[in-house]
Amino acid sequence: MSDILSKYDTSLNGLDKSEVRKRQNEYGLNEIEEKKPSPLIILFLSQFVDILIGLLIIAAIASFAIGDIIDAGVILLAVLLNTIMGFIQEYRSRRAVESLKGLITKTAIVKRDGKISEIDAKELTIGDIIILEEGRKVPADAALIETNHLSCDESSLTGESEAVKKEVGDTIHMDSNILSGHGRAIVSNIGMKTEIGKIAKIVQEDDEETPLAKRVGKLGKILSSIAIVVCIAVFVLELLKGVPLVETFMTAVSLAVAAIPEGLPAVLTLTLALGMNEMAKSKAIVRKLLSVETLGSCTVICSDKTGTLTENKMAVVDSFYTNKDKTHLIGKLCNNAVQSEDKIIGDQTDGAILKYCKDYDCSLERIDEIPLDSNRKMMTTIHRLNNGKDIVLSKGAPEIILDLCKYIDNDGSIEILDSETKETLLEKISEMSSHALRVIGFAYKTKDENEYESDLTFTGLLGLIDPPKRDAKKAVSDCINAGIDVIMITGDHEKTACAIAKDLGILTTGRVITGKEFDQLSDEEYLEIVNDIQVYARVKPAQKMRIVETLKKLGNIVAMTGDGVNDAPALKKASIGVSMGDGCDVAKEASDMILQNNDFTTIVNAIEGGRKIYDNIKRFVKYQVSTNVGAILTIVGTSLLNLPLPFNPAQLLWLNIVMDGPPAQMLGIEGAEKDIMERPPEKGDILTKNTLLQILCLGLVMAIGTIGVFSYEIYSGVSTTKAMTVAFTLFVVYQLLNAFNGRANSYKSSKYLYLGILISFILQLLILYIPQLQIVFRTTAIGIVDWAVIVIVASTILIAQKIMDRVIQ
């Protein structure tokens, strides 16, 4: 004790007032510091600092400039929707720190100047003597100098709900609950230097940009660059041809509006939001919009075992007796679980043993208990027999029980436990453990001295298991088929972890490493073997952070599960942090997704949903961009061929509304591809080289067909209005048929695409045949022959896609 007191320069009487003030000035207050948040208005305005959003605002201004109020309004609505969503997501992230601050104990009992008083916990400083009592929370990290049967619950930090017995010299952490006993401790760390404080610092770090955000940003830059270059080129070409400046400017601006897919953010938001809603029905609550797609890119899942891959319901499934009756007597009486009607209340292991031994009819008065703790790994109770004598009953880790046994009870015959018999029993324990069983040993003695836990008599073993969930094995298999590595991380024994991992198909040719071995590896050594490790056993939550960082360093998109405060840093750092529905609020706030049913299968279903969403994003992006390219090539082509422009500004804007409208929206809700979980995760851009080649080919087909029909109409002597109407309608039909090219090869194909195409076609008919709309769009009615030409030429877009499907792989 004197060493600890001198280390913190204090005494058993505590600090005096002047020393307290001095140390508070030096170390600060015992509180969690929150990074000063930006004002809400700044947070909102910062959402506009994005290249795609900037381009949309320019497009809206351009639409106002040419008098198209409706299109400008639609664009601004899309901008507003996206900025509001971004604002909400960033505002939510602040709540993680608020949850941590809510954990901090408000008051503390402290001894200063020899007097005990209750103070505001933030006034504590290093060297203070604090009093710890049952039912209170620990107000700071502290070193124990006095304990009396002191045990605490550190589950908020470690995720382990078992009581931890504490001795003099042990460290006890802020926010731990004192379950029993009392003690005194010296404050060793306060505020941000505590374990909770370190977690708060990590939780406040900015989120990394998601893969989708990076890809959309890159796409926006590419499309904007192309749009600017093309608009300038068309403006110059039209001026050189002698077209009036105002008309040239309006055409260039209209082309800019048509070239920029301003519907992309709106369709993107709608698709992600619908995906979130669908996942919520499957018990997966996605907290951050763009994380929906990140799930589809996941390459590694680091999963807890208990409750996620297994049922989290212990049951006795195997036994080995030398005296069955005595084993069941110990199992029933050396037990703190309670049966209330049909429910078992208490520790799961105790509950499973009580349930198994419930038919043994015996009741003895308990007069004393030595509770289970992590050091002894056993529990002992003392009971009064009917003859007035006392009996000691013990159960616990089988190797420890055996080491304390001097005798063995062979159905009432008490014999010395010789080395040969002990070796046989150890082999039995090893055999049971190899089948993923948690083995409990049982022993007793008649009390004849003060030393309870010595010279015990062995009676038997019970093997318990937390069985794998019914669908977990198939879910793991689905992940492997989808190119996703599954890694088990557990605090359980190595043998138990291995057996469960082998049963589920997680442990195949890879390695198993324990937390102790893990700590002994240098960063370089760990980096070399990390890809070979499939199971981490006896791992503490704090070690998860290193696992995530190393896997990400190798280019992985990592999903990590967790439920405790100490899991929050790893959840925050992971590409996809997955918290449990019954986990703590801090873990939930730091995560991207919450599993309401704590089920690994739900993660896999969410990944499948993420992949479907990403596929649909690629569908409507390909659809929109190919139409943009088609419009650009048509305008540039007619200008180079010295033909009149086939579309006027109003028609260009209409084309933009049609291609960003119902068909694109419906492509965003197509069903999942049949092979969606039989291919590796997505790692490339939204527009791959093959997709860009297809887009260029489709754009060329639309441009060549439109220019060809437009040229024929012009040279056949029809009016320019008629020729433009036919070309304009042909391009619209091209778009509608091109939407069919984006359909999913799905077992559950969406019928909404047909509805979207029908709505767009009806709208096109209205502007061709309603006189008032003819004036706005400068169109005229066309006949059945024109429609026949339009349908035949437009169908080439379907033929072109079929050819590309065979040629371009």
Side-chain angles (χ1 to χ4, degrees):
M1 183 192 298
S2 59
D3 291 342
I4 302 175
L5 291 168
S6 61
K7 180 180 177 180
Y8 296 103
D9 193 16
T10 188
S11 71
L12 289 175
N13 285 325
L15 304 173
D16 59 40
K17 290 181 180 179
S18 62
E19 186 63 23
V20 168
R21 284 194 297 270
K22 178 184 172 184
R23 295 192 185 192
Q24 285 177 342
N25 289 333
E26 182 179 353
Y27 300 117
L29 295 176
N30 180 37
E31 58 186 0
I32 298 299
E33 296 171 10
E34 186 176 356
K35 187 169 67 174
K36 189 175 181 180
S38 305
L40 292 183
I41 185 64
I42 299 297
L43 186 65
F44 179 73
L45 293 176
S46 68
Q47 306 304 314
F48 291 90
V49 184
D50 177 89
I51 188 163
L52 196 57
I53 296 296
L55 286 165
L56 297 185
I57 293 172
I58 293 170
I61 294 170
S63 296
F64 275 119
I66 61 173
D68 196 289
I69 307 299
I70 294 175
D71 203 51
V74 170
I75 296 169
L76 289 176
L77 184 62
V79 169
L80 192 61
L81 180 63
N82 279 272
T83 51
I84 288 173
M85 289 299 294
F87 171 76
I88 291 170
Q89 288 172 32
E90 290 199 29
Y91 181 71
R92 272 181 170 180
S93 68
R94 295 182 180 181
R95 289 168 54 190
V97 179
E98 291 172 8
S99 297
L100 276 170
K101 291 178 75 175
L103 291 174
I104 308 309
T105 309
K106 303 300 182 186
T107 63
I109 300 175
V110 64
K111 189 174 185 181
R112 289 175 177 170
D113 281 331
K115 297 177 182 178
I116 295 175
S117 60
E118 187 169 2
I119 65 168
D120 190 322
K122 72 178 183 180
E123 299 293 332
L124 284 176
T125 191
I126 292 173
D128 263 326
I129 304 292
I130 54 174
I131 314 300
L132 304 174
E133 297 176 339
E134 185 176 323
R136 294 185 69 94
K137 281 190 173 185
V138 181
D141 286 2
L144 287 162
I145 57 172
E146 180 186 311
T147 64
N148 187 351
H149 296 292
L150 184 70
S151 68
C152 68
D153 173 9
E154 297 181 331
S155 59
S156 62
L157 274 174
T158 65
E160 301 293 332
S161 57
E162 293 182 354
V164 180
K165 189 174 181 181
K166 293 289 185 177
E167 304 290 350
V168 172
D170 290 347
T171 298
I172 194 163
H173 295 291
M174 177 188 278
D175 192 47
S176 296
N177 289 305
I178 304 301
L179 297 178
S180 63
H182 54 85
R184 300 188 183 205
I186 301 174
V187 173
S188 56
N189 277 310
I190 60 172
M192 298 302 284
K193 296 290 185 180
T194 62
E195 290 301 308
I196 289 280
K198 292 173 185 175
I199 291 167
K201 186 176 180 181
I202 295 169
V203 168
Q204 289 186 76
E205 291 176 359
D206 293 334
D207 289 332
E208 292 183 10
E209 198 174 24
T210 67
L212 182 60
K214 293 176 184 176
R215 291 166 185 165
V216 170
K218 185 176 180 181
L219 177 64
K221 290 175 185 176
I222 293 170
L223 296 178
S224 60
S225 300
I226 293 171
I228 291 167
V229 170
V230 169
C231 290
I232 292 172
V234 168
F235 183 75
V236 172
L237 284 171
E238 291 297 290
L239 274 181
L240 293 175
K241 286 165 59 178
V243 177
L245 179 62
V246 175
E247 189 177 337
T248 302
F249 173 74
M250 288 179 69
T251 300
V253 169
S254 300
L255 184 58
V257 174
I260 299 169
E262 61 267 22
L264 178 59
V267 180
L268 184 65
T269 301
L270 176 65
T271 303
L272 292 172
L274 289 173
M276 286 176 70
N277 186 55
E278 194 172 325
M279 289 179 187
K281 293 176 183 176
S282 302
K283 306 297 183 182
I285 308 299
V286 180
R287 296 182 59 255
K288 299 172 184 176
L289 199 63
L290 288 174
S291 298
V292 175
E293 180 278 331
T294 309
L295 282 162
S297 305
C298 177
T299 60
V300 178
I301 302 175
C302 295
S303 175
D304 283 327
K305 177 185 76 68
T306 305
T308 306
L309 291 165
T310 62
E311 294 283 358
N312 196 21
K313 295 176 182 176
M314 298 299 293
V316 177
V317 294
D318 196 6
S319 59
F320 174 81
Y321 303 114
T322 60
N323 188 317
K324 181 177 179 179
D325 285 347
K326 279 284 172 55
T327 301
H328 282 221
L329 169 72
I330 300 164
K332 187 170 184 180
L333 298 181
C334 183
N335 197 312
N336 285 331
V338 177
Q339 182 157 6
S340 176
E341 297 178 354
D342 293 331
K343 290 183 68 177
I344 299 287
I345 301 169
D347 175 77
Q348 284 207 31
T349 300
D350 270 5
I353 293 171
L354 181 65
K355 191 174 181 180
Y356 189 72
C357 302
K358 66 180 180 179
D359 293 333
Y360 188 81
D361 186 19
C362 180
S363 179
L364 296 174
E365 179 190 358
R366 182 187 293 192
I367 60 174
D368 201 358
E369 174 188 349
I370 307 175
L372 173 74
D373 67 57
S374 57
N375 296 319
R376 289 167 45 258
K377 297 185 186 302
M378 63 183 292
M379 171 186 180
T380 297
T381 55
I382 297 89
H383 300 261
R384 183 67 41 85
L385 295 171
N386 295 330
N387 60 10
K389 292 184 178 181
D390 294 339
I391 187 171
V392 177
L393 308 179
S394 297
K395 77 175 193 301
E399 298 91 345
I400 290 174
I401 292 289
L402 267 180
D403 284 342
L404 296 173
C405 285
K406 185 177 180 180
Y407 307 98
I408 183 168
D409 186 339
N410 288 315
D411 289 327
S413 175
I414 311 301
E415 300 171 6
I416 295 292
L417 179 62
D418 57 41
S419 58
E420 186 178 341
T421 305
K422 187 173 182 179
E423 189 61 36
T424 302
L425 290 172
L426 286 171
E427 288 175 6
K428 184 63 182 176
I429 292 166
S430 181
E431 177 192 335
M432 292 171 76
S433 296
S434 68
H435 291 96
L437 301 183
R438 177 183 292 178
V439 185
I440 305 295
F442 296 82
Y444 72 96
K445 69 180 287 188
T446 302
K447 181 185 173 187
D448 55 6
E449 55 189 48
N450 292 329
E451 184 61 49
Y452 294 153
E453 295 175 339
S454 66
D455 296 340
L456 300 175
T457 302
F458 181 82
T459 67
L461 304 167
L462 291 181
L464 297 87
I465 192 169
D466 176 12
K469 289 187 175 176
R470 186 178 58 183
D471 299 327
K473 190 169 185 176
K474 182 182 182 301
V476 170
S477 176
D478 288 344
C479 285
I480 293 168
N481 290 336
I484 302 167
D485 294 327
V486 180
I487 296 171
M488 178 193 285
I489 301 177
T490 178
D492 271 356
H493 191 276
E494 183 179 355
K495 282 187 178 179
T496 305
C498 286
I500 292 287
K502 284 178 181 176
D503 185 32
L504 291 172
I506 293 172
L507 183 58
T508 51
T509 58
R511 296 180 55 173
V512 181
I513 190 171
T514 64
K516 187 177 180 181
E517 294 167 338
F518 181 55
D519 279 340
Q520 292 170 352
L521 292 173
S522 68
D523 288 343
E524 293 74 19
E525 289 171 333
Y526 179 46
L527 197 60
E528 287 179 12
I529 66 169
V530 65
N531 283 332
D532 298 326
I533 301 172
Q534 293 178 319
V535 176
Y536 293 82
R538 292 295 192 203
V539 169
K540 298 174 182 176
Q543 293 172 313
K544 289 183 177 182
M545 185 84 160
R546 187 183 179 196
I547 297 171
V548 170
E549 289 177 332
T550 306
L551 287 170
K552 287 180 70 177
K553 195 179 290 183
L554 294 173
N556 288 294
I557 307 296
V558 183
M560 172 68 78
T561 67
D563 55 11
V565 172
N566 218 20
D567 288 322
L571 294 174
K572 181 79 172 180
K573 182 63 70 173
S575 312
I576 309 144
V578 183
S579 62
M580 303 299 124
D582 57 3
C584 71
D585 289 341
V586 179
K588 290 177 184 177
E589 292 295 342
S591 66
D592 304 292
M593 184 170 80
I594 300 169
L595 300 186
Q596 287 185 303
N597 58 1
N598 294 18
D599 198 332
F600 181 81
T601 305
T602 306
I603 302 176
V604 181
N605 291 339
I607 287 173
E608 182 177 343
R611 289 189 172 195
K612 183 183 83 168
I613 288 165
Y614 189 58
D615 282 350
N616 287 339
I617 289 170
K618 290 196 294 183
R619 277 184 233 291
F620 66 68
V621 168
K622 178 186 173 184
Y623 170 73
Q624 288 187 303
V625 176
S626 61
T627 309
N628 291 339
V629 170
I632 289 169
L633 292 176
T634 302
I635 297 290
V636 173
T638 51
S639 189
L640 290 172
L641 292 171
N642 210 27
L643 290 168
L645 292 182
F647 316 128
N648 59 48
Q651 290 170 351
L652 273 172
L653 292 171
W654 178 253
L655 289 175
N656 198 42
I657 291 170
V658 171
M659 67 179 150
D660 289 344
Q665 301 280 349
M666 297 309 122
L667 282 174
I669 56 174
E670 278 287 286
E673 294 281 342
K674 291 178 180 178
D675 67 344
I676 195 163
M677 292 299 281
E678 297 172 8
R679 64 185 197 225
E682 293 282 353
K683 291 186 178 179
D685 294 325
I686 293 175
L687 298 180
T688 62
K689 289 181 181 178
N690 284 346
T691 306
L692 286 169
L693 183 57
Q694 289 191 41
I695 286 170
L696 181 60
C697 291
L698 292 171
L700 279 169
V701 168
M702 284 187 268
I704 291 169
T706 305
I707 293 171
V709 170
F710 182 59
S711 302
Y712 173 79
E713 293 289 327
I714 290 289
Y715 292 123
S716 66
V718 302
S719 66
T720 303
T721 301
K722 171 71 180 296
M724 289 179 69
T725 301
V726 172
F728 169 48
T729 305
L730 170 59
F731 201 85
V732 168
V733 176
Y734 262 135
Q735 290 182 66
L736 300 182
L737 294 181
N738 190 32
F740 282 108
N741 289 330
R743 285 179 302 175
N745 179 22
S746 174
Y747 292 113
K748 191 180 179 182
S749 186
S750 170
K751 306 300 180 188
Y752 291 107
L753 180 61
Y754 299 98
L755 178 63
I757 291 171
L758 179 62
I759 291 171
S760 295
F761 183 70
I762 291 171
L763 291 173
Q764 180 66 18
L765 291 178
L766 294 178
I767 67 172
L768 292 184
Y769 296 107
I770 293 179
Q772 291 83 354
L773 293 177
Q774 287 176 342
I775 296 170
V776 174
F777 290 96
R778 285 181 281 169
T779 57
T780 186
I782 56 177
I784 191 68
V785 175
D786 298 315
W787 276 112
V789 171
I790 287 168
V791 171
I792 291 169
V793 175
S795 63
T796 57
I797 200 78
L798 299 174
I799 298 169
Q801 184 63 58
K802 292 291 183 185
I803 294 171
M804 286 188 293
D805 288 341
R806 291 180 177 274
V807 176
I808 303 174
Q809 298 296 327

